[in-house]
Amino acid sequence: MTESIIAVPTAEILLSSARSLDHAFRHDLAALVAIDSGSQHAAGVEAVAVWCTERLAQEGFSVSAHETEPVGGQAYGPVIIARRTGTGTNRVLLFAHMDTVFDQGESAKRPYSEHAGRAYGPGVSDDKGGIAAAFAAARVLADSGWDGFGELVIALTPDEEVGSPASRAILAQLASTSDVAFCMECARENGDIVGSRKGVADVHIDVRGRTAHSGVEPERGVNAAVEAAHLLLELQALSGSAPGLSVNVGTIAAGSRVNIVPGSAQLTVEVRAERITDLVGVLDAIDERARTPHVSGAVITAKRLDVCPPLEIDSTRDLARIATRLAADLGVNLQVAATGGVSDANFVAATGVSTLDGLGPIGGGDHTDDEWIDLTTVPQRVALLSALIVEVSRYDDESSRGAR
């Protein structure tokens, strides 16, 4: 079969299908919210993975589970990868996360509910609504008779809420072989999708001096607190030195007693930036500063604890334009937002694949007892995601493909 004889579904067809299948979306959402799956609750995440595997298999996907290695002694659940082969050439990746920030017992305490056009429950927006929307879009495409993609891939990760330490490499490898990637984090409360996210890096700085009695022989001491104070002011001054760049010295500690010259000090620093060049520039500046202490005899060690690259607007601009055009066909005035928060889209885009974020339903109140999804807009959002998959599936190989 060739593309020329595949009927391309219109916006009206996709929206009609999404509306008629909305009951299945709500069924999936309720089932997912009913399972506690905090990031550190590996058994709960595993239960979500089992449920999703069975559901995806029912939808005609070939599903595999990829076990993750413990990180820092903490076990996490598996990564689920589901594949559906089509008649085209482009591989489209949808990715979402199965873990939440909530403790065990929360789903029983606050079970899934619907009220006044909204759904409530732990993880309903972040990100179980995104999972359910990915499943719904796959159903809409099948119902509409569209399989013009080369392969439709749905990846579900177990640890996004804690920075994806166990799944990051698996997801990045999958993204590197994809042509387009859609992050299923929910849309902003006002309906915006996400076109850029800041990158973030955490740095621990250790200052070593030399203790001494502050009254008897202070000259023998090397005051680590004084060096830390210099560091605090100098690093904080970097904040705002580039557009969207923030540097925050979040904690600082030094000394043990008032009559002892402090021989050690510690600082933790968070850097957020819109551009990878700015993020790396600050990290390099911290390393350089560590080599040149102000206090004679002090030794500074800077350790990068984690570095997450930004989701830069250059990675999303073309897809965002397509999304706004397709949304208009569905009667939606779609806007593209920038945010300082991080998602797995940051890591995916860093592989070079064209990426767009916020393709889940409209929701809000993430990480709170009031987390919600706007059920009245779900059919439109599922239709939009379906339309995007159709559109990018029809790209020619060269125009659509990111770094492979």
Side-chain angles (χ1 to χ4, degrees):
M1 182 179 292
T2 63
E3 182 184 326
S4 60
I5 60 174
I6 298 176
V8 178
T10 63
E12 292 77 11
I13 290 173
L14 294 173
L15 182 56
S16 176
S17 178
R19 285 171 173 159
S20 68
L21 295 171
D22 189 51
H23 65 283
F25 168 86
R26 298 191 188 201
H27 169 271
D28 289 352
L29 185 60
L32 289 165
V33 171
I35 306 172
D36 286 318
S37 57
S39 305
Q40 284 84 14
H41 181 31
V45 177
E46 174 78 33
V48 173
V50 170
W51 188 92
C52 289
T53 296
E54 293 174 352
R55 188 63 162 151
L56 286 162
Q58 292 171 3
E59 301 293 342
F61 282 83
S62 173
V63 190
S64 59
H66 301 257
E67 298 302 323
T68 58
E69 295 293 329
V71 179
Q74 173 65 52
Y76 297 97
V79 175
I80 299 301
I81 300 176
R83 302 175 183 272
R84 178 188 284 172
T85 302
T87 59
T89 58
N90 291 331
R91 179 177 289 123
V92 182
L93 171 65
L94 312 182
F95 58 101
H97 62 91
M98 300 178 286
D99 61 318
T100 74
V101 299
F102 298 103
D103 296 330
Q104 290 177 251
E106 196 68 19
S107 294
K109 178 182 174 182
R110 295 189 295 113
Y112 176 85
S113 64
E114 297 182 6
H115 177 69
R118 287 186 173 185
Y120 298 90
V124 69
S125 170
D126 187 16
D127 186 28
K128 293 182 176 180
I131 296 174
F135 293 6
R139 276 193 295 271
V140 166
L141 293 174
D143 184 63
S144 303
W146 175 262
D147 66 350
F149 44 80
E151 188 173 49
L152 180 61
V153 182
I154 298 177
L156 308 175
T157 57
D159 56 348
E160 189 272 349
E161 294 291 3
V162 291
S164 308
S167 67
R168 188 183 304 181
I170 297 173
L171 185 59
Q173 193 283 328
L174 186 62
S176 69
T177 61
S178 300
D179 295 289
V180 181
F182 296 126
C183 180
M184 296 306 301
E185 294 284 350
C186 282
R188 308 293 90 179
E189 293 189 16
N190 63 358
D192 290 352
I193 57 174
V194 177
S196 64
R197 292 180 180 270
K198 288 186 178 182
V200 60
D202 295 330
V203 183
H204 177 83
I205 301 176
D206 184 73
V207 183
R208 292 296 171 185
R210 184 167 58 247
T211 59
H213 192 295
S214 63
V216 177
E217 47 185 10
E219 70 281 357
R220 287 195 168 190
V222 176
N223 197 315
V226 172
E227 184 62 49
H230 281 289
L231 281 164
L232 167 64
L233 295 174
E234 292 173 25
L235 297 182
Q236 202 67 53
L238 295 173
S239 193
S241 58
L245 174 65
S246 64
V247 179
N248 181 57
V249 180
T251 66
I252 182 169
S256 58
R257 294 172 64 94
V258 71
N259 60 347
I260 299 176
V261 175
S264 66
Q266 298 79 38
L267 306 90
T268 56
V269 184
E270 181 194 73
V271 184
R272 291 182 184 261
E274 295 176 356
R275 299 284 182 177
I276 188 64
T277 52
D278 296 330
L279 187 67
V280 172
V282 170
L283 295 176
D284 289 345
I286 293 174
D287 289 344
E288 179 60 29
R289 175 61 178 80
R291 290 190 283 269
T292 55
H294 281 287
V295 176
S296 179
V299 177
I300 306 169
T301 304
K303 182 179 180 181
R304 300 176 187 182
L305 303 180
D306 193 25
V307 179
C308 173
L311 172 64
E312 298 194 27
I313 192 66
D314 294 342
S315 300
T316 66
R317 185 179 288 109
D318 290 344
L319 286 176
R321 287 171 179 161
I322 294 171
T324 54
R325 172 172 56 81
L326 295 174
D329 293 339
L330 293 164
V332 176
N333 179 21
L334 191 68
Q335 301 296 319
V336 183
T339 178
V342 171
S343 80
D344 279 339
N346 294 61
F347 305 114
V348 167
T351 68
V353 64
S354 295
T355 306
L356 193 59
D357 197 351
L359 272 302
I362 296 173
D366 294 2
H367 299 188
T368 74
D369 290 354
D370 299 319
E371 188 173 354
W372 55 271
I373 272 182
D374 184 350
L375 292 172
T376 66
T377 59
V378 166
Q380 279 184 319
R381 293 288 157 157
V382 170
L384 173 59
L385 176 60
S386 303
L388 274 166
I389 296 170
V390 170
E391 186 75 7
V392 300
S393 297
R394 300 172 63 218
Y395 283 0
D396 63 57
D397 288 350
E398 293 304 318
S399 66
S400 66
R401 188 153 299 171
R404 298 296 293 269

PDB file of all heavy atoms in Angstrom, residues 196-225:
ATOM      1  N   SER A 196       9.411  25.217  25.035  1.00  0.00           N
ATOM      2  CA  SER A 196      10.778  25.249  25.565  1.00  0.00           C
ATOM      3  C   SER A 196      10.751  25.061  27.073  1.00  0.00           C
ATOM      4  O   SER A 196       9.804  25.474  27.748  1.00  0.00           O
ATOM      5  CB  SER A 196      11.475  26.566  25.203  1.00  0.00           C
ATOM      6  OG  SER A 196      10.828  27.661  25.808  1.00  0.00           O
ATOM      7  N   ARG A 197      11.805  24.435  27.560  1.00  0.00           N
ATOM      8  CA  ARG A 197      12.006  24.236  28.996  1.00  0.00           C
ATOM      9  C   ARG A 197      13.456  24.563  29.310  1.00  0.00           C
ATOM     10  O   ARG A 197      14.353  24.227  28.539  1.00  0.00           O
ATOM     11  CB  ARG A 197      11.712  22.794  29.420  1.00  0.00           C
ATOM     12  CG  ARG A 197      10.250  22.378  29.323  1.00  0.00           C
ATOM     13  CD  ARG A 197      10.066  20.931  29.770  1.00  0.00           C
ATOM     14  NE  ARG A 197       8.697  20.481  29.695  1.00  0.00           N
ATOM     15  CZ  ARG A 197       7.804  20.587  30.676  1.00  0.00           C
ATOM     16  NH1 ARG A 197       8.171  21.150  31.819  1.00  0.00           N
ATOM     17  NH2 ARG A 197       6.576  20.140  30.527  1.00  0.00           N
ATOM     18  N   LYS A 198      13.676  25.172  30.437  1.00  0.00           N
ATOM     19  CA  LYS A 198      15.037  25.454  30.836  1.00  0.00           C
ATOM     20  C   LYS A 198      15.781  24.162  31.168  1.00  0.00           C
ATOM     21  O   LYS A 198      15.182  23.190  31.622  1.00  0.00           O
ATOM     22  CB  LYS A 198      15.070  26.380  32.054  1.00  0.00           C
ATOM     23  CG  LYS A 198      14.669  27.814  31.753  1.00  0.00           C
ATOM     24  CD  LYS A 198      14.860  28.689  32.981  1.00  0.00           C
ATOM     25  CE  LYS A 198      14.497  30.146  32.683  1.00  0.00           C
ATOM     26  NZ  LYS A 198      14.720  31.018  33.865  1.00  0.00           N
ATOM     27  N   GLY A 199      17.079  24.188  30.922  1.00  0.00           N
ATOM     28  CA  GLY A 199      17.934  23.137  31.427  1.00  0.00           C
ATOM     29  C   GLY A 199      18.305  23.448  32.861  1.00  0.00           C
ATOM     30  O   GLY A 199      18.218  24.601  33.308  1.00  0.00           O
ATOM     31  N   VAL A 200      18.705  22.446  33.598  1.00  0.00           N
ATOM     32  CA  VAL A 200      19.040  22.659  35.006  1.00  0.00           C
ATOM     33  C   VAL A 200      20.246  21.814  35.389  1.00  0.00           C
ATOM     34  O   VAL A 200      20.416  20.688  34.900  1.00  0.00           O
ATOM     35  CB  VAL A 200      17.832  22.331  35.919  1.00  0.00           C
ATOM     36  CG1 VAL A 200      17.403  20.875  35.756  1.00  0.00           C
ATOM     37  CG2 VAL A 200      18.129  22.637  37.376  1.00  0.00           C
ATOM     38  N   ALA A 201      21.085  22.372  36.232  1.00  0.00           N
ATOM     39  CA  ALA A 201      22.247  21.652  36.752  1.00  0.00           C
ATOM     40  C   ALA A 201      22.359  21.927  38.240  1.00  0.00           C
ATOM     41  O   ALA A 201      22.170  23.065  38.692  1.00  0.00           O
ATOM     42  CB  ALA A 201      23.524  22.096  36.038  1.00  0.00           C
ATOM     43  N   ASP A 202      22.648  20.881  39.003  1.00  0.00           N
ATOM     44  CA  ASP A 202      22.890  21.010  40.441  1.00  0.00           C
ATOM     45  C   ASP A 202      24.373  20.777  40.700  1.00  0.00           C
ATOM     46  O   ASP A 202      24.961  19.819  40.177  1.00  0.00           O
ATOM     47  CB  ASP A 202      22.067  19.988  41.224  1.00  0.00           C
ATOM     48  CG  ASP A 202      20.572  20.230  41.085  1.00  0.00           C
ATOM     49  OD1 ASP A 202      20.176  21.395  40.903  1.00  0.00           O
ATOM     50  OD2 ASP A 202      19.800  19.256  41.141  1.00  0.00           O
ATOM     51  N   VAL A 203      24.947  21.648  41.504  1.00  0.00           N
ATOM     52  CA  VAL A 203      26.377  21.575  41.797  1.00  0.00           C
ATOM     53  C   VAL A 203      26.585  21.614  43.310  1.00  0.00           C
ATOM     54  O   VAL A 203      25.994  22.463  44.004  1.00  0.00           O
ATOM     55  CB  VAL A 203      27.147  22.743  41.145  1.00  0.00           C
ATOM     56  CG1 VAL A 203      28.652  22.606  41.408  1.00  0.00           C
ATOM     57  CG2 VAL A 203      26.861  22.807  39.640  1.00  0.00           C
ATOM     58  N   HIS A 204      27.405  20.701  43.814  1.00  0.00           N
ATOM     59  CA  HIS A 204      27.810  20.726  45.225  1.00  0.00           C
ATOM     60  C   HIS A 204      29.238  21.246  45.297  1.00  0.00           C
ATOM     61  O   HIS A 204      30.123  20.755  44.596  1.00  0.00           O
ATOM     62  CB  HIS A 204      27.738  19.329  45.842  1.00  0.00           C
ATOM     63  CG  HIS A 204      28.220  19.281  47.262  1.00  0.00           C
ATOM     64  ND1 HIS A 204      27.420  19.614  48.326  1.00  0.00           N
ATOM     65  CD2 HIS A 204      29.429  18.957  47.792  1.00  0.00           C
ATOM     66  CE1 HIS A 204      28.102  19.493  49.444  1.00  0.00           C
ATOM     67  NE2 HIS A 204      29.329  19.101  49.154  1.00  0.00           N
ATOM     68  N   ILE A 205      29.441  22.251  46.141  1.00  0.00           N
ATOM     69  CA  ILE A 205      30.763  22.847  46.301  1.00  0.00           C
ATOM     70  C   ILE A 205      31.254  22.604  47.724  1.00  0.00           C
ATOM     71  O   ILE A 205      30.554  22.921  48.695  1.00  0.00           O
ATOM     72  CB  ILE A 205      30.736  24.357  46.001  1.00  0.00           C
ATOM     73  CG1 ILE A 205      30.258  24.604  44.566  1.00  0.00           C
ATOM     74  CG2 ILE A 205      32.123  24.965  46.213  1.00  0.00           C
ATOM     75  CD1 ILE A 205      30.117  26.068  44.211  1.00  0.00           C
ATOM     76  N   ASP A 206      32.433  22.042  47.834  1.00  0.00           N
ATOM     77  CA  ASP A 206      33.048  21.759  49.130  1.00  0.00           C
ATOM     78  C   ASP A 206      34.288  22.641  49.297  1.00  0.00           C
ATOM     79  O   ASP A 206      35.147  22.688  48.412  1.00  0.00           O
ATOM     80  CB  ASP A 206      33.440  20.284  49.217  1.00  0.00           C
ATOM     81  CG  ASP A 206      33.996  19.924  50.577  1.00  0.00           C
ATOM     82  OD1 ASP A 206      33.205  19.846  51.523  1.00  0.00           O
ATOM     83  OD2 ASP A 206      35.228  19.715  50.682  1.00  0.00           O
ATOM     84  N   VAL A 207      34.333  23.362  50.387  1.00  0.00           N
ATOM     85  CA  VAL A 207      35.470  24.230  50.688  1.00  0.00           C
ATOM     86  C   VAL A 207      36.221  23.650  51.886  1.00  0.00           C
ATOM     87  O   VAL A 207      35.618  23.427  52.949  1.00  0.00           O
ATOM     88  CB  VAL A 207      35.030  25.668  51.006  1.00  0.00           C
ATOM     89  CG1 VAL A 207      36.258  26.557  51.242  1.00  0.00           C
ATOM     90  CG2 VAL A 207      34.165  26.233  49.884  1.00  0.00           C
ATOM     91  N   ARG A 208      37.499  23.413  51.711  1.00  0.00           N
ATOM     92  CA  ARG A 208      38.331  22.904  52.791  1.00  0.00           C
ATOM     93  C   ARG A 208      39.328  23.971  53.225  1.00  0.00           C
ATOM     94  O   ARG A 208      40.079  24.502  52.410  1.00  0.00           O
ATOM     95  CB  ARG A 208      39.086  21.647  52.337  1.00  0.00           C
ATOM     96  CG  ARG A 208      38.192  20.448  52.099  1.00  0.00           C
ATOM     97  CD  ARG A 208      37.523  19.995  53.386  1.00  0.00           C
ATOM     98  NE  ARG A 208      36.510  18.972  53.131  1.00  0.00           N
ATOM     99  CZ  ARG A 208      35.709  18.483  54.069  1.00  0.00           C
ATOM    100  NH1 ARG A 208      35.811  18.941  55.301  1.00  0.00           N
ATOM    101  NH2 ARG A 208      34.821  17.573  53.766  1.00  0.00           N
ATOM    102  N   GLY A 209      39.295  24.280  54.546  1.00  0.00           N
ATOM    103  CA  GLY A 209      40.267  25.196  55.119  1.00  0.00           C
ATOM    104  C   GLY A 209      41.059  24.494  56.208  1.00  0.00           C
ATOM    105  O   GLY A 209      41.437  23.337  56.059  1.00  0.00           O
ATOM    106  N   ARG A 210      41.250  25.182  57.337  1.00  0.00           N
ATOM    107  CA  ARG A 210      41.952  24.546  58.463  1.00  0.00           C
ATOM    108  C   ARG A 210      41.401  25.140  59.753  1.00  0.00           C
ATOM    109  O   ARG A 210      41.317  26.377  59.909  1.00  0.00           O
ATOM    110  CB  ARG A 210      43.452  24.774  58.379  1.00  0.00           C
ATOM    111  CG  ARG A 210      44.242  24.049  59.477  1.00  0.00           C
ATOM    112  CD  ARG A 210      45.734  24.031  59.199  1.00  0.00           C
ATOM    113  NE  ARG A 210      46.294  25.360  59.055  1.00  0.00           N
ATOM    114  CZ  ARG A 210      46.782  25.838  57.916  1.00  0.00           C
ATOM    115  NH1 ARG A 210      46.742  25.097  56.811  1.00  0.00           N
ATOM    116  NH2 ARG A 210      47.298  27.059  57.857  1.00  0.00           N
ATOM    117  N   THR A 211      40.997  24.285  60.660  1.00  0.00           N
ATOM    118  CA  THR A 211      40.463  24.763  61.927  1.00  0.00           C
ATOM    119  C   THR A 211      41.576  25.278  62.828  1.00  0.00           C
ATOM    120  O   THR A 211      42.733  24.855  62.729  1.00  0.00           O
ATOM    121  CB  THR A 211      39.707  23.636  62.658  1.00  0.00           C
ATOM    122  OG1 THR A 211      40.601  22.546  62.889  1.00  0.00           O
ATOM    123  CG2 THR A 211      38.515  23.156  61.852  1.00  0.00           C
ATOM    124  N   ALA A 212      41.182  26.199  63.718  1.00  0.00           N
ATOM    125  CA  ALA A 212      42.111  26.742  64.715  1.00  0.00           C
ATOM    126  C   ALA A 212      41.298  27.405  65.809  1.00  0.00           C
ATOM    127  O   ALA A 212      40.127  27.772  65.607  1.00  0.00           O
ATOM    128  CB  ALA A 212      43.070  27.752  64.066  1.00  0.00           C
ATOM    129  N   HIS A 213      41.913  27.569  66.977  1.00  0.00           N
ATOM    130  CA  HIS A 213      41.250  28.275  68.072  1.00  0.00           C
ATOM    131  C   HIS A 213      41.177  29.756  67.698  1.00  0.00           C
ATOM    132  O   HIS A 213      42.199  30.385  67.411  1.00  0.00           O
ATOM    133  CB  HIS A 213      42.051  28.083  69.364  1.00  0.00           C
ATOM    134  CG  HIS A 213      41.319  28.510  70.592  1.00  0.00           C
ATOM    135  ND1 HIS A 213      40.953  29.821  70.838  1.00  0.00           N
ATOM    136  CD2 HIS A 213      40.871  27.792  71.658  1.00  0.00           C
ATOM    137  CE1 HIS A 213      40.329  29.894  71.990  1.00  0.00           C
ATOM    138  NE2 HIS A 213      40.268  28.667  72.526  1.00  0.00           N
ATOM    139  N   SER A 214      39.963  30.299  67.716  1.00  0.00           N
ATOM    140  CA  SER A 214      39.781  31.666  67.235  1.00  0.00           C
ATOM    141  C   SER A 214      40.354  32.719  68.172  1.00  0.00           C
ATOM    142  O   SER A 214      40.576  33.872  67.748  1.00  0.00           O
ATOM    143  CB  SER A 214      38.292  31.946  67.013  1.00  0.00           C
ATOM    144  OG  SER A 214      37.583  31.855  68.252  1.00  0.00           O
ATOM    145  N   GLY A 215      40.628  32.341  69.440  1.00  0.00           N
ATOM    146  CA  GLY A 215      41.180  33.311  70.364  1.00  0.00           C
ATOM    147  C   GLY A 215      42.667  33.163  70.581  1.00  0.00           C
ATOM    148  O   GLY A 215      43.397  34.155  70.689  1.00  0.00           O
ATOM    149  N   VAL A 216      43.155  31.929  70.601  1.00  0.00           N
ATOM    150  CA  VAL A 216      44.549  31.668  70.923  1.00  0.00           C
ATOM    151  C   VAL A 216      45.447  31.783  69.701  1.00  0.00           C
ATOM    152  O   VAL A 216      46.514  32.421  69.749  1.00  0.00           O
ATOM    153  CB  VAL A 216      44.696  30.283  71.582  1.00  0.00           C
ATOM    154  CG1 VAL A 216      46.164  29.960  71.853  1.00  0.00           C
ATOM    155  CG2 VAL A 216      43.884  30.204  72.864  1.00  0.00           C
ATOM    156  N   GLU A 217      45.030  31.135  68.580  1.00  0.00           N
ATOM    157  CA  GLU A 217      45.905  31.124  67.402  1.00  0.00           C
ATOM    158  C   GLU A 217      45.088  31.199  66.107  1.00  0.00           C
ATOM    159  O   GLU A 217      45.177  30.309  65.256  1.00  0.00           O
ATOM    160  CB  GLU A 217      46.794  29.881  67.416  1.00  0.00           C
ATOM    161  CG  GLU A 217      46.059  28.580  67.706  1.00  0.00           C
ATOM    162  CD  GLU A 217      46.989  27.398  67.839  1.00  0.00           C
ATOM    163  OE1 GLU A 217      48.210  27.586  67.898  1.00  0.00           O
ATOM    164  OE2 GLU A 217      46.474  26.265  67.874  1.00  0.00           O
ATOM    165  N   PRO A 218      44.322  32.255  65.916  1.00  0.00           N
ATOM    166  CA  PRO A 218      43.490  32.356  64.707  1.00  0.00           C
ATOM    167  C   PRO A 218      44.314  32.391  63.423  1.00  0.00           C
ATOM    168  O   PRO A 218      43.835  31.995  62.359  1.00  0.00           O
ATOM    169  CB  PRO A 218      42.728  33.664  64.906  1.00  0.00           C
ATOM    170  CG  PRO A 218      43.583  34.454  65.836  1.00  0.00           C
ATOM    171  CD  PRO A 218      44.193  33.450  66.755  1.00  0.00           C
ATOM    172  N   GLU A 219      45.579  32.858  63.545  1.00  0.00           N
ATOM    173  CA  GLU A 219      46.422  32.945  62.362  1.00  0.00           C
ATOM    174  C   GLU A 219      46.742  31.581  61.772  1.00  0.00           C
ATOM    175  O   GLU A 219      47.146  31.483  60.606  1.00  0.00           O
ATOM    176  CB  GLU A 219      47.722  33.691  62.693  1.00  0.00           C
ATOM    177  CG  GLU A 219      48.689  32.943  63.597  1.00  0.00           C
ATOM    178  CD  GLU A 219      48.299  32.990  65.071  1.00  0.00           C
ATOM    179  OE1 GLU A 219      47.295  33.662  65.408  1.00  0.00           O
ATOM    180  OE2 GLU A 219      48.983  32.342  65.884  1.00  0.00           O
ATOM    181  N   ARG A 220      46.572  30.525  62.545  1.00  0.00           N
ATOM    182  CA  ARG A 220      46.811  29.172  62.026  1.00  0.00           C
ATOM    183  C   ARG A 220      45.624  28.647  61.211  1.00  0.00           C
ATOM    184  O   ARG A 220      45.745  27.647  60.532  1.00  0.00           O
ATOM    185  CB  ARG A 220      47.093  28.211  63.184  1.00  0.00           C
ATOM    186  CG  ARG A 220      48.457  28.388  63.816  1.00  0.00           C
ATOM    187  CD  ARG A 220      48.773  27.202  64.672  1.00  0.00           C
ATOM    188  NE  ARG A 220      50.168  27.201  65.068  1.00  0.00           N
ATOM    189  CZ  ARG A 220      50.781  26.177  65.660  1.00  0.00           C
ATOM    190  NH1 ARG A 220      50.095  25.069  65.933  1.00  0.00           N
ATOM    191  NH2 ARG A 220      52.052  26.255  65.984  1.00  0.00           N
ATOM    192  N   GLY A 221      44.521  29.317  61.319  1.00  0.00           N
ATOM    193  CA  GLY A 221      43.326  28.847  60.633  1.00  0.00           C
ATOM    194  C   GLY A 221      43.234  29.306  59.193  1.00  0.00           C
ATOM    195  O   GLY A 221      43.844  30.303  58.793  1.00  0.00           O
ATOM    196  N   VAL A 222      42.492  28.544  58.417  1.00  0.00           N
ATOM    197  CA  VAL A 222      42.103  28.926  57.049  1.00  0.00           C
ATOM    198  C   VAL A 222      40.581  28.925  57.040  1.00  0.00           C
ATOM    199  O   VAL A 222      39.959  27.855  57.125  1.00  0.00           O
ATOM    200  CB  VAL A 222      42.665  27.957  56.000  1.00  0.00           C
ATOM    201  CG1 VAL A 222      42.151  28.321  54.613  1.00  0.00           C
ATOM    202  CG2 VAL A 222      44.187  27.951  56.032  1.00  0.00           C
ATOM    203  N   ASN A 223      39.986  30.092  56.996  1.00  0.00           N
ATOM    204  CA  ASN A 223      38.556  30.233  57.215  1.00  0.00           C
ATOM    205  C   ASN A 223      37.744  29.857  55.974  1.00  0.00           C
ATOM    206  O   ASN A 223      37.633  30.630  55.015  1.00  0.00           O
ATOM    207  CB  ASN A 223      38.236  31.660  57.635  1.00  0.00           C
ATOM    208  CG  ASN A 223      36.867  31.774  58.265  1.00  0.00           C
ATOM    209  OD1 ASN A 223      35.897  31.228  57.758  1.00  0.00           O
ATOM    210  ND2 ASN A 223      36.797  32.492  59.376  1.00  0.00           N
ATOM    211  N   ALA A 224      37.183  28.652  56.023  1.00  0.00           N
ATOM    212  CA  ALA A 224      36.383  28.166  54.887  1.00  0.00           C
ATOM    213  C   ALA A 224      35.097  28.955  54.742  1.00  0.00           C
ATOM    214  O   ALA A 224      34.557  29.091  53.635  1.00  0.00           O
ATOM    215  CB  ALA A 224      36.080  26.680  55.057  1.00  0.00           C
ATOM    216  N   ALA A 225      34.573  29.484  55.838  1.00  0.00           N
ATOM    217  CA  ALA A 225      33.331  30.254  55.766  1.00  0.00           C
ATOM    218  C   ALA A 225      33.518  31.544  54.983  1.00  0.00           C
ATOM    219  O   ALA A 225      32.629  31.968  54.234  1.00  0.00           O
ATOM    220  CB  ALA A 225      32.832  30.563  57.174  1.00  0.00           C
TER     221      ALA A 225
END
